[in-house]
Amino acid sequence: MMKRFIGVMALALVMILAACGGEGGSEEASGSSGSDSKSVVFGTGGTSGTYYPIGGALKPVFEESDLIDNVTVESTGASVANIQNIKDNLNQLAIIMSDVGYDAINGTGQFEGSEVEVKAMAGMYQNVVQVVALKDSGITSIADLEGKKVGVGKVGSGVEQSAKKVLEAEDLTYDDLSKVTHTGYADSVQEMKNGNLDAAFFTSGVPNSNITDLMQQTDINFVEIKGETADKLMEKYPFYKSNTIEAGDEAKYGLENAVETVGIQNMIIVSSDLSEDTVYEMTKRYYEYLGTEEVSVGALKQLGRDEIAKGLIAPLHPGAKKFYEEQGILE
């Protein structure tokens, strides 16, 4: 009986020691891959836009990291919603346009009086400001829009914001135009086909399918934004960058002559609550992915990977900054 009791006690002692050792081992494993790993919500845009498929393409790239458990790609209202969602800790990763990010940082525009901390991870392609006019309208410059019928995008849209700023750089306002319509891309094109508009603003990637449709049925001019107009625009609003739509590229309208204009860079932002190691890993994975043949979304091919840390309007997250410093690609 005594031997049996001693045997039971010995077994119990072994189990206790094993449990303690197991618990310590569990904590060590958790510290290296469990508790430090994150489930990340990636805020993109509408399912028919460009942000959402970019999110889908980058999801498996980020999930290759041991520090990322899962990436949930979420369709959102795009830039403004994404910044607000990161502020509210609903997203940890998102894509935004730089002009909206600039407003959030400075408490202007749609963030009037309510500054938001924005941390950049990487730059992406530009949304290009494209102004097109009917060939017989006589419009060849922004100044020529005076007294004309112009589509400026939906009220409050990024297109309208660009239209107002471009007109302002030429000392024009809506009052200087004979007609202003707040039409989306498709409606602006239809109005131009019908002769109800002389010109319209489009702010998007290149090519814009609506412009391509218009070109197939009507002779048009691309109105350049260059010289003093572009300089004034970029000086006052640093999120604008010079952009050229190259001639002879069938994937970009197949133009006879290059078009000088401006663009607004899109960028990936991250929550400041993400650790330096996690953001370092995501930045590294993104950079390496851009250097492969696996890139499936055309917009991700429009900015060289050694340019993704340059000209950003928001401060870099420490993890992203560390990676770019190691690569020697910071400005």
Side-chain angles (χ1 to χ4, degrees):
M1 187 73 176
M2 179 61 69
K3 288 181 180 180
R4 183 179 179 185
F5 175 75
I6 292 172
V8 170
M9 291 299 294
L11 179 60
L13 180 60
V14 169
M15 292 177 68
I16 290 171
L17 290 173
C20 291
E23 186 178 349
S26 175
E27 285 179 355
E28 185 177 350
S30 175
S32 62
S33 63
S35 63
D36 284 349
S37 61
K38 299 285 294 183
S39 290
V40 174
V41 179
F42 192 171
T44 58
T47 55
S48 62
T50 304
Y51 286 4
Y52 189 74
I54 287 176
L58 295 181
K59 170 182 166 68
V61 174
F62 295 141
E63 288 178 341
E64 288 178 0
S65 171
D66 291 337
L67 297 182
I68 303 293
D69 278 340
N70 176 66
V71 176
T72 300
V73 179
E74 185 175 81
S75 174
T76 70
S79 300
V80 174
N82 288 343
I83 290 173
Q84 190 63 48
N85 286 347
I86 282 188
K87 179 183 178 184
D88 296 339
N89 204 31
L90 298 175
N91 295 164
Q92 292 74 46
L93 179 68
I95 305 172
I96 66 167
M97 282 181 64
S98 290
D99 57 342
V100 180
Y102 180 86
D103 282 344
I105 292 168
N106 292 283
T108 56
Q110 296 178 75
F111 293 89
E112 185 71 43
S114 180
E115 297 177 8
V116 180
E117 182 182 45
V118 176
K119 293 292 185 183
M121 189 189 96
M124 293 196 303
Y125 69 103
Q126 289 186 23
N127 278 5
V128 182
V129 181
Q130 300 162 75
V131 185
V132 297
L134 297 176
K135 194 149 193 171
D136 61 6
S137 67
I139 299 171
T140 59
S141 68
I142 297 300
D144 291 337
L145 294 176
E146 184 175 2
K148 302 296 185 179
K149 299 171 289 187
V150 184
V152 298
K154 294 181 179 179
V155 174
S157 68
V159 181
E160 187 191 25
Q161 290 186 47
S162 289
K164 285 182 174 180
K165 291 177 173 66
V166 170
L167 291 170
E168 174 191 20
E170 198 59 54
D171 295 323
L172 296 174
T173 68
Y174 286 171
D175 291 338
D176 296 308
L177 310 179
S178 66
K179 177 182 178 182
V180 174
T181 63
H182 290 91
T183 43
Y185 295 154
D187 288 337
S188 289
V189 164
Q190 191 58 52
E191 290 293 276
M192 289 182 73
K193 289 178 181 178
N194 294 339
N196 296 325
L197 286 179
D198 299 308
F201 281 80
F202 301 77
T203 302
S204 70
V206 176
N208 181 299
S209 60
N210 295 277
I211 295 176
T212 302
D213 173 50
L214 181 63
M215 293 174 71
Q216 291 173 347
Q217 300 186 43
T218 309
D219 291 332
I220 65 169
N221 292 324
F222 277 84
V223 182
E224 294 187 301
I225 303 171
K226 62 181 182 179
E228 186 177 343
T229 302
D231 291 343
K232 286 173 64 177
L233 193 61
M234 291 187 285
E235 182 179 353
K236 184 169 183 178
Y237 303 106
F239 47 80
Y240 281 109
K241 296 184 177 183
S242 59
N243 188 290
T244 300
I245 306 174
E246 301 292 346
D249 188 341
E250 291 302 321
K252 296 181 179 180
Y253 308 121
L255 301 174
E256 291 185 8
N257 300 299
V259 173
E260 292 183 43
T261 183
V262 294
I264 304 168
Q265 187 174 38
N266 294 282
M267 63 181 185
I268 300 175
I269 63 171
V270 290
S271 168
S272 58
D273 292 337
L274 287 178
S275 72
E276 181 176 312
D277 288 347
T278 299
V279 177
Y280 177 96
E281 270 285 299
M282 290 196 299
T283 308
K284 179 175 182 290
R285 301 281 174 178
Y286 177 62
Y287 177 84
E288 291 176 347
Y289 171 69
L290 293 181
T292 71
E293 298 297 322
E294 303 299 317
V295 180
S296 57
V297 180
L300 289 177
K301 301 177 183 179
Q302 295 180 20
L303 184 68
R305 69 176 186 167
D306 288 337
E307 301 298 314
I308 62 176
K310 298 177 180 179
L312 300 173
I313 56 89
L316 286 165
H317 187 285
K321 184 179 181 181
K322 178 182 177 182
F323 176 78
Y324 295 136
E325 287 176 340
E326 290 179 357
Q327 295 300 311
I329 60 174
L330 279 179
E331 287 184 315

